[in-house]
Amino acid sequence: MNARWRASRAITNSYIPAESVPTDMEIRMSLQQMVSTSTPQVTAATAPEQAEAECYQRCFDLLEPLDRVRLNRDTHPEGDLLYHSLQVFELARNARPWDEDFLLAALLHDVGKGIDPYDAFQATLTAVQDIVSERTLWFIEHLPLQHRASEGTIGVRARRRLAEHDDGEELRLLAECDSDGRVPGRPVCSLAEAIQFLKDMSDE
């Protein structure tokens, strides 16, 4: 809080009402929006290699701070969010090592929890929507619904729509990886190694 007041005083010496000073969450969201708007978008004029490198760098930047996000020990005894994400990635890689869209969804599915814990799902979709394929986005968008389907808390029609989708089996598998990626002490690769694996897939 003191840092926010000092920053405000550096801008103006006038009286600043307490309610006008941005919260930590508002500052974090503004910074995320600045990153999203300042990062060059993929266009026909952008060299493919450069565009791909920028996308993977953004993935890395979204994931790297997650080791400081602690999870509920009752549901996530493994510890921090980055470790969970890497566990889900490892399980997904063991199951579908050839499916880049699927692996990206496994790695990025929870990044919003490091941006806005009060609306992590929407924060995740906003953060990744311009750096992943439509298929990867579909996996991430429908993962919570698949969890509910697995728990039997949605209707028969909704479950059928998921099951009959072209990627319904992969979505069910992703939900299993998400649920199983919560083991304390499980060996995982590093974040840099995960990103490099995905880069190598794109280069093949």
XYZ file of all heavy atoms in Angstrom, residues 136-179:
358
model
N -6.921 -25.426 -29.010
C -6.383 -25.326 -27.653
C -7.311 -24.497 -26.776
O -7.580 -24.855 -25.621
C -4.979 -24.695 -27.674
O -4.085 -25.560 -28.366
C -4.460 -24.477 -26.264
N -7.814 -23.392 -27.312
C -8.734 -22.553 -26.557
C -10.001 -23.320 -26.202
O -10.535 -23.180 -25.098
C -9.073 -21.288 -27.352
C -9.844 -20.204 -26.599
C -9.006 -19.661 -25.447
C -10.218 -19.057 -27.544
N -10.487 -24.156 -27.116
C -11.683 -24.960 -26.852
C -11.437 -25.916 -25.688
O -12.293 -26.068 -24.812
C -12.087 -25.746 -28.096
C -13.363 -26.526 -27.907
C -14.635 -26.099 -28.097
C -13.458 -27.904 -27.461
N -15.534 -27.098 -27.793
C -14.834 -28.210 -27.401
C -12.523 -28.878 -27.111
C -15.307 -29.471 -27.003
C -12.979 -30.126 -26.700
C -14.347 -30.410 -26.665
N -10.280 -26.549 -25.673
C -9.946 -27.442 -24.565
C -10.008 -26.693 -23.230
O -10.615 -27.163 -22.262
C -8.545 -28.024 -24.737
C -8.443 -29.150 -25.719
C -7.448 -29.163 -26.687
C -9.330 -30.216 -25.678
C -7.338 -30.220 -27.588
C -9.229 -31.272 -26.575
C -8.236 -31.275 -27.535
N -9.352 -25.537 -23.173
C -9.288 -24.775 -21.929
C -10.676 -24.270 -21.528
O -11.058 -24.329 -20.349
C -8.301 -23.605 -22.076
C -6.875 -24.139 -22.284
C -8.350 -22.688 -20.865
C -5.845 -23.069 -22.608
N -11.425 -23.810 -22.510
C -12.754 -23.256 -22.232
C -13.716 -24.318 -21.698
O -14.566 -24.032 -20.847
C -13.314 -22.627 -23.500
C -14.637 -21.920 -23.316
C -15.106 -21.241 -24.580
O -14.495 -21.458 -25.644
O -16.099 -20.497 -24.512
N -13.590 -25.553 -22.187
C -14.551 -26.590 -21.811
C -14.039 -27.519 -20.717
O -14.768 -28.426 -20.291
C -14.935 -27.409 -23.047
C -15.797 -26.644 -24.005
N -15.288 -25.791 -24.945
C -17.153 -26.593 -24.144
C -16.279 -25.250 -25.639
N -17.404 -25.703 -25.168
N -12.828 -27.297 -20.232
C -12.286 -28.161 -19.185
C -13.131 -28.136 -17.905
O -13.422 -29.211 -17.346
C -10.840 -27.773 -18.888
C -10.115 -28.599 -17.820
C -10.117 -30.084 -18.177
C -8.687 -28.095 -17.638
N -13.554 -26.963 -17.407
C -14.397 -26.980 -16.200
C -15.706 -27.742 -16.410
O -16.174 -28.441 -15.501
C -14.655 -25.489 -15.932
C -13.532 -24.777 -16.602
C -13.235 -25.579 -17.824
N -16.290 -27.620 -17.590
C -17.532 -28.335 -17.876
C -17.293 -29.844 -17.898
O -18.136 -30.626 -17.428
C -18.108 -27.863 -19.213
C -19.530 -28.335 -19.552
C -20.524 -27.847 -18.513
C -19.932 -27.854 -20.952
N -16.146 -30.263 -18.425
C -15.819 -31.691 -18.434
C -15.639 -32.227 -17.018
O -16.052 -33.353 -16.720
C -14.553 -31.930 -19.257
C -14.130 -33.396 -19.310
C -15.189 -34.284 -19.928
O -15.682 -34.015 -21.017
N -15.560 -35.352 -19.232
N -15.060 -31.432 -16.147
C -14.943 -31.849 -14.749
C -16.329 -32.062 -14.146
O -16.559 -33.043 -13.426
C -14.172 -30.807 -13.943
C -12.682 -30.911 -14.068
N -11.989 -32.061 -13.750
C -11.748 -30.008 -14.472
C -10.695 -31.868 -13.951
N -10.529 -30.630 -14.387
N -17.235 -31.154 -14.451
C -18.601 -31.297 -13.938
C -19.268 -32.523 -14.551
O -20.026 -33.236 -13.872
C -19.405 -30.041 -14.237
C -18.959 -28.802 -13.458
C -19.770 -27.585 -13.839
N -21.193 -27.825 -13.643
C -22.153 -27.089 -14.202
N -21.822 -26.076 -15.008
N -23.413 -27.367 -13.969
N -19.000 -32.780 -15.819
C -19.561 -33.972 -16.460
C -19.043 -35.233 -15.773
O -19.800 -36.188 -15.539
C -19.215 -33.982 -17.942
N -17.763 -35.244 -15.447
C -17.173 -36.401 -14.782
C -17.754 -36.591 -13.384
O -17.865 -37.723 -12.897
C -15.650 -36.238 -14.692
O -15.076 -36.106 -15.989
N -18.132 -35.490 -12.759
C -18.720 -35.557 -11.417
C -20.223 -35.834 -11.468
O -20.841 -36.078 -10.426
C -18.473 -34.232 -10.689
C -16.997 -33.941 -10.406
C -16.738 -32.493 -10.081
O -17.717 -31.696 -10.110
O -15.577 -32.143 -9.818
N -20.810 -35.784 -12.673
C -22.237 -36.028 -12.816
C -23.114 -34.877 -12.377
O -24.268 -35.080 -11.987
N -22.580 -33.640 -12.482
C -23.341 -32.480 -12.014
C -23.880 -31.625 -13.163
O -24.305 -30.487 -12.938
C -22.474 -31.601 -11.091
O -21.295 -31.179 -11.800
C -22.057 -32.365 -9.841
N -23.841 -32.127 -14.394
C -24.487 -31.439 -15.513
C -25.471 -32.406 -16.153
O -25.451 -33.616 -15.905
C -23.471 -30.930 -16.565
C -22.696 -32.106 -17.190
C -22.518 -29.920 -15.954
C -21.806 -31.687 -18.343
N -26.346 -31.866 -16.993
C -27.393 -32.665 -17.591
C -26.888 -33.654 -18.628
O -25.751 -33.570 -19.107
N -27.792 -34.574 -18.978
C -27.455 -35.619 -19.944
C -27.111 -35.027 -21.298
O -26.162 -35.460 -21.957
C -28.620 -36.619 -20.071
C -28.351 -37.622 -21.181
C -28.857 -37.334 -18.752
N -27.875 -34.028 -21.745
C -27.617 -33.436 -23.056
C -26.258 -32.774 -23.115
O -25.544 -32.898 -24.123
C -28.707 -32.420 -23.387
C -30.080 -33.042 -23.644
C -31.082 -31.969 -24.025
N -32.394 -32.546 -24.306
C -33.466 -31.830 -24.635
N -33.368 -30.504 -24.723
N -34.614 -32.436 -24.875
N -25.888 -32.052 -22.067
C -24.580 -31.381 -22.040
C -23.456 -32.412 -22.048
O -22.449 -32.241 -22.748
C -24.468 -30.488 -20.806
N -23.632 -33.487 -21.294
C -22.608 -34.544 -21.299
C -22.488 -35.185 -22.667
O -21.379 -35.477 -23.137
C -22.949 -35.614 -20.254
C -22.738 -35.178 -18.828
C -22.546 -36.374 -17.906
N -23.630 -37.337 -18.009
C -24.753 -37.282 -17.292
N -24.931 -36.278 -16.431
N -25.680 -38.204 -17.416
N -23.630 -35.373 -23.324
C -23.606 -36.001 -24.640
C -22.903 -35.109 -25.658
O -22.145 -35.587 -26.499
C -25.025 -36.313 -25.106
C -25.074 -37.072 -26.440
C -26.502 -37.339 -26.890
N -27.220 -38.160 -25.922
C -28.330 -37.774 -25.301
N -28.839 -36.569 -25.534
N -28.939 -38.589 -24.459
N -23.160 -33.794 -25.578
C -22.508 -32.866 -26.518
C -20.993 -32.915 -26.366
O -20.265 -32.902 -27.361
C -23.027 -31.437 -26.300
C -24.394 -31.166 -26.910
C -24.667 -29.676 -26.995
N -24.702 -29.051 -25.672
C -25.807 -28.934 -24.933
N -26.957 -29.428 -25.375
N -25.771 -28.347 -23.749
N -20.533 -32.967 -25.141
C -19.087 -33.061 -24.928
C -18.533 -34.379 -25.445
O -17.504 -34.416 -26.124
C -18.765 -32.920 -23.434
C -18.905 -31.532 -22.807
C -18.564 -31.603 -21.331
C -18.039 -30.500 -23.504
N -19.222 -35.456 -25.129
C -18.735 -36.780 -25.518
C -18.714 -36.960 -27.026
O -17.843 -37.658 -27.567
C -19.598 -37.854 -24.867
N -19.684 -36.335 -27.717
C -19.797 -36.514 -29.161
C -18.967 -35.519 -29.961
O -18.883 -35.632 -31.184
C -21.272 -36.413 -29.570
C -22.116 -37.568 -29.039
C -23.577 -37.440 -29.394
O -23.961 -36.357 -29.923
O -24.332 -38.400 -29.165
N -18.363 -34.564 -29.288
C -17.484 -33.610 -29.983
C -16.277 -34.352 -30.542
O -15.831 -35.368 -29.998
C -17.031 -32.517 -29.013
C -16.329 -31.379 -29.663
N -14.974 -31.412 -29.965
C -16.787 -30.158 -30.084
C -14.632 -30.270 -30.521
N -15.703 -29.493 -30.616
N -15.733 -33.846 -31.651
C -14.568 -34.487 -32.281
C -13.416 -34.664 -31.309
O -12.627 -35.615 -31.430
C -14.103 -33.662 -33.491
C -15.068 -33.741 -34.658
O -15.939 -34.639 -34.647
O -14.953 -32.905 -35.580
N -13.283 -33.735 -30.363
C -12.206 -33.821 -29.377
C -12.731 -34.191 -27.991
O -12.075 -33.910 -26.975
C -11.457 -32.482 -29.301
C -10.536 -32.272 -30.490
O -9.781 -33.205 -30.814
O -10.584 -31.188 -31.105
N -13.898 -34.812 -27.958
C -14.475 -35.179 -26.671
C -13.610 -36.133 -25.869
O -13.475 -35.989 -24.643
N -12.998 -37.102 -26.528
C -12.138 -38.056 -25.831
C -10.887 -37.375 -25.286
O -10.453 -37.640 -24.155
C -11.740 -39.188 -26.776
C -10.746 -40.186 -26.196
C -11.288 -40.921 -24.982
O -12.533 -40.992 -24.820
O -10.472 -41.410 -24.179
N -10.305 -36.460 -26.070
C -9.120 -35.732 -25.607
C -9.471 -34.809 -24.435
O -8.675 -34.658 -23.502
C -8.514 -34.918 -26.753
C -7.694 -35.716 -27.741
C -8.536 -36.651 -28.599
O -9.746 -36.382 -28.760
O -7.986 -37.653 -29.100
N -10.666 -34.204 -24.471
C -11.077 -33.333 -23.367
C -11.243 -34.140 -22.087
O -10.831 -33.704 -21.001
C -12.383 -32.623 -23.720
C -12.934 -31.669 -22.645
C -11.984 -30.503 -22.420
C -14.321 -31.152 -23.043
N -11.846 -35.314 -22.187
C -11.996 -36.180 -21.021
C -10.618 -36.575 -20.475
O -10.398 -36.577 -19.258
C -12.784 -37.432 -21.398
C -13.077 -38.368 -20.216
C -13.636 -39.689 -20.684
N -12.689 -40.392 -21.541
C -11.645 -41.061 -21.085
N -11.375 -41.098 -19.782
N -10.832 -41.690 -21.922
N -9.686 -36.855 -21.381
C -8.332 -37.213 -20.966
C -7.639 -36.032 -20.295
O -6.920 -36.194 -19.291
C -7.537 -37.690 -22.176
C -6.098 -38.127 -21.930
C -6.040 -39.256 -20.910
C -5.455 -38.555 -23.247
N -7.844 -34.830 -20.824
C -7.243 -33.637 -20.220
C -7.763 -33.438 -18.800
O -6.995 -33.093 -17.889
C -7.555 -32.406 -21.077
C -7.022 -31.061 -20.563
C -5.496 -31.090 -20.465
C -7.473 -29.927 -21.478
N -9.058 -33.655 -18.596
C -9.626 -33.524 -17.258
C -9.016 -34.551 -16.311
O -8.758 -34.251 -15.126
C -11.142 -33.684 -17.314
N -8.765 -35.750 -16.806
C -8.122 -36.775 -15.982
C -6.701 -36.351 -15.606
O -6.270 -36.523 -14.456
C -8.091 -38.109 -16.723
C -9.451 -38.771 -16.879
C -9.355 -40.107 -17.586
O -8.227 -40.517 -17.932
O -10.403 -40.746 -17.798
N -5.969 -35.806 -16.573
C -4.609 -35.327 -16.293
C -4.639 -34.207 -15.259
O -3.778 -34.147 -14.362
C -3.944 -34.839 -17.582
S -3.612 -36.126 -18.796
N -5.613 -33.314 -15.375
C -5.753 -32.205 -14.427
C -6.020 -32.734 -13.021
O -5.437 -32.256 -12.039
C -6.881 -31.287 -14.889
C -6.993 -30.029 -14.044
O -5.997 -29.633 -13.405
O -8.086 -29.426 -14.034
N -6.896 -33.724 -12.922
C -7.226 -34.289 -11.606
C -6.072 -35.100 -11.027
O -5.858 -35.111 -9.806
C -8.478 -35.174 -11.713
O -9.614 -34.416 -12.090
